[in-house]
Amino acid sequence: MSFDINKIVRPSIAALKPYSSARDEFTGKADVYLDANENPFDTGLNRYPDPYQQELKSAISKIKNVPKENIFLGNGSDEVIDLLFRGFCEPGKDEVITLPPTYGMYQVSADINHIKTNKVSLTPDFEIDEAKLEATINPNTKIIWFCSPNNPTGNALDPDAIIKILKSFNGIVVIDEAYIDFSASQSWIDFLDFYPNLFVMQTLSKAWGLAGLRLGMGFASKAIIEILNKIKPPYNINTLTQDKALEALGHFEEKNEAVDVILNERINLNQALSELQTVRHIYKSDANFLLVKIDHASTIYQKLVEQSIIVRNRSNVTLCEDCLRITVGTPEENKTLISALKQLI
Ligand SMILES: *Cc1c(COP(=O)(O)O)cnc(C)c1O
């Protein structure tokens, strides 16, 4: 294995002289700031935010047990995904691999950046097709996008198959862990020291209950993080987001309590759904949603909409035929869904 960051970063990015903000050039504390053309009168937001989010990263570093230099923060995972393309994939030349059915943003972001996506479908039990994956890797493959636990299937992917790729692939191996807090499996952030090509994504959007805040986290080797820092918009995480995230991270027991309730409700919802005649299969879930194979999925979806209950119709997604993806809601919401389904069936 010879992962070499200099071989995979785009040449124009390697050569880039990044924008230097006022807060880059002076980082200490001062009494009078006349360097950033800010309005001096205090509105609560008259100053630019910390471009490298030091305080927030310190808090994340403690919770995740990952050094600050191995953390990148983005305006949602969406921005982290886009920056990985922009840092490492040459438009019109480089390629990436996704494993559908999976999260749609990898493909959309690839298309926006004019990067070819090669798809290696998961097996019917939603595992990695190792032979096909290895056969699909070519010299232009820069990133492999794993999502574990996977959306929309809900399962965590086999770690042994991922380890083989981490050891043999000389590009970046992304593992999107948006749902890791709902999973019994270990986070890949514990393995950052072993794999210089590993990039783990997490987010405050799911377990932390802060989808509106837009805070995505990337964890990787210092070399990879430095590339993203070089190309990100200077003030990509605004002051309100940094403050609110810091506050939320301060009482993570609330996050844990919410996760406990959701996990318990996942069991209850699974049980109630399995008692419905038209439910064919409920896939094992490591996430905060259930993928449910049900007769006449599209009709049921539509009828639920008419009752003001919205689930996600995945029935036209390959390998998810006749499937609805149902987010685990509050105990009340789940009861409402089940009684609506009982009346429909
Ligand atoms: C919901 C979700 C995210 C979260 O994206 P944000 O931009 O951080 O809100 C990331 N990846 C997957 C697979 C998701 O399902």
Side-chain angles (χ1 to χ4, degrees):
M1 153 99 202
S2 60
F3 175 78
D4 180 353
I5 189 92
N6 299 310
K7 285 196 182 130
I8 64 156
V9 65
R10 291 170 65 196
S12 56
I13 300 302
L16 176 78
K17 188 177 180 302
Y19 177 75
S20 182
S21 70
R23 283 293 78 77
D24 276 323
E25 287 173 21
F26 179 85
T27 51
K29 284 258 172 265
D31 292 330
V32 180
Y33 289 101
L34 302 174
D35 58 348
N37 294 349
E38 296 152 336
N39 184 319
F41 302 110
D42 187 7
T43 64
L45 291 168
N46 56 315
R47 299 295 176 185
Y48 279 104
D50 174 1
Y52 298 107
Q53 311 98 20
Q54 300 296 352
E55 212 183 338
L56 183 50
K57 280 184 186 163
S58 293
I60 293 171
S61 171
K62 279 197 201 107
I63 290 175
K64 301 288 179 183
N65 200 20
V66 172
K68 274 165 81 174
E69 64 186 27
N70 300 106
I71 303 173
F72 180 81
L73 300 180
N75 187 357
S77 308
D78 295 337
E79 186 182 39
V80 183
I81 294 168
D82 178 65
L83 289 174
L84 283 167
F85 280 109
R86 293 210 274 159
F88 298 101
C89 300
E90 199 62 33
K93 173 173 174 265
D94 287 332
E95 304 178 5
V96 299
I97 295 176
T98 62
L99 289 79
T102 191
Y103 189 46
M105 270 314 285
Y106 316 137
Q107 164 95 58
V108 171
S109 198
D111 290 346
I112 292 168
N113 287 288
H114 188 27
I115 305 301
K116 185 178 172 206
T117 302
N118 296 304
K119 300 192 184 100
V120 177
S121 189
L122 294 172
T123 60
D125 61 346
F126 301 143
E127 272 303 340
I128 298 167
D129 186 335
E130 293 182 56
K132 236 202 223 156
L133 177 55
E134 271 165 40
T136 305
I137 295 170
N138 70 43
N140 289 331
T141 310
K142 289 297 186 73
I143 304 177
I144 300 176
W145 295 90
F146 293 109
C147 185
S148 183
N150 187 37
N151 176 7
T153 63
N155 61 307
L157 298 171
D158 172 21
D160 293 334
I162 294 178
I163 285 173
K164 279 186 207 160
I165 295 297
L166 280 166
K167 286 183 172 163
S168 63
F169 177 57
N170 290 331
I172 292 179
V173 177
V174 176
I175 305 176
D176 185 345
E177 292 190 332
Y179 299 98
I180 192 66
D181 292 278
F182 304 106
S183 175
S185 51
Q186 191 178 4
S187 169
W188 285 93
I189 61 175
D190 297 339
F191 298 92
L192 286 172
D193 287 344
F194 299 98
Y195 305 109
N197 55 344
L198 172 60
F199 192 97
V200 181
M201 286 200 306
Q202 295 186 3
T203 178
L204 295 195
S205 292
K206 306 286 157 64
W208 289 91
L210 293 167
L213 193 62
R214 310 310 300 134
L215 195 82
M217 300 174 277
F219 303 94
S221 62
K222 187 165 171 258
I224 295 177
I225 299 298
E226 278 175 355
I227 305 271
L228 298 187
N229 278 334
K230 198 171 165 184
I231 64 175
K232 78 182 186 71
Y235 305 109
N236 62 326
I237 310 296
N238 70 68
T239 302
L240 295 175
T241 295
Q242 293 192 40
D243 290 351
K244 182 73 190 179
L246 201 54
E247 181 196 322
L249 292 170
H251 26 93
F252 61 88
E253 64 288 347
E254 282 177 26
K255 184 266 290 182
N256 292 339
E257 282 164 22
V259 168
D260 286 346
V261 172
I262 290 166
L263 290 182
N264 197 44
E265 273 307 291
R266 188 173 78 191
I267 295 170
N268 295 340
L269 185 61
N270 196 316
Q271 179 61 33
L273 287 166
S274 68
E275 287 165 11
L276 301 176
Q277 279 182 8
T278 51
V279 168
R280 293 279 157 248
H281 189 65
I282 304 168
Y283 291 90
K284 183 185 175 304
S285 175
D286 282 287
N288 65 337
F289 57 84
L290 294 171
L291 187 71
V292 182
K293 199 180 264 301
I294 188 165
D295 292 343
H296 315 295
S298 292
T299 311
I300 296 217
Y301 168 78
Q302 207 47 51
K303 294 226 160 127
L304 285 173
V305 171
E306 283 162 24
Q307 302 209 26
S308 198
I309 299 170
I310 317 300
V311 299
R312 197 84 194 264
N313 185 4
R314 300 281 81 186
S315 57
N316 48 16
V317 172
T318 308
L319 294 180
C320 298
E321 290 82 7
D322 305 314
C323 285
L324 301 177
R325 192 195 69 189
I326 302 174
T327 308
V328 178
T330 63
E332 187 96 316
E333 289 171 331
N334 301 330
K335 276 195 199 102
T336 305
L337 170 76
I338 292 296
S339 53
L341 283 172
K342 276 185 180 156
Q343 289 191 340
L344 290 177
I345 288 164

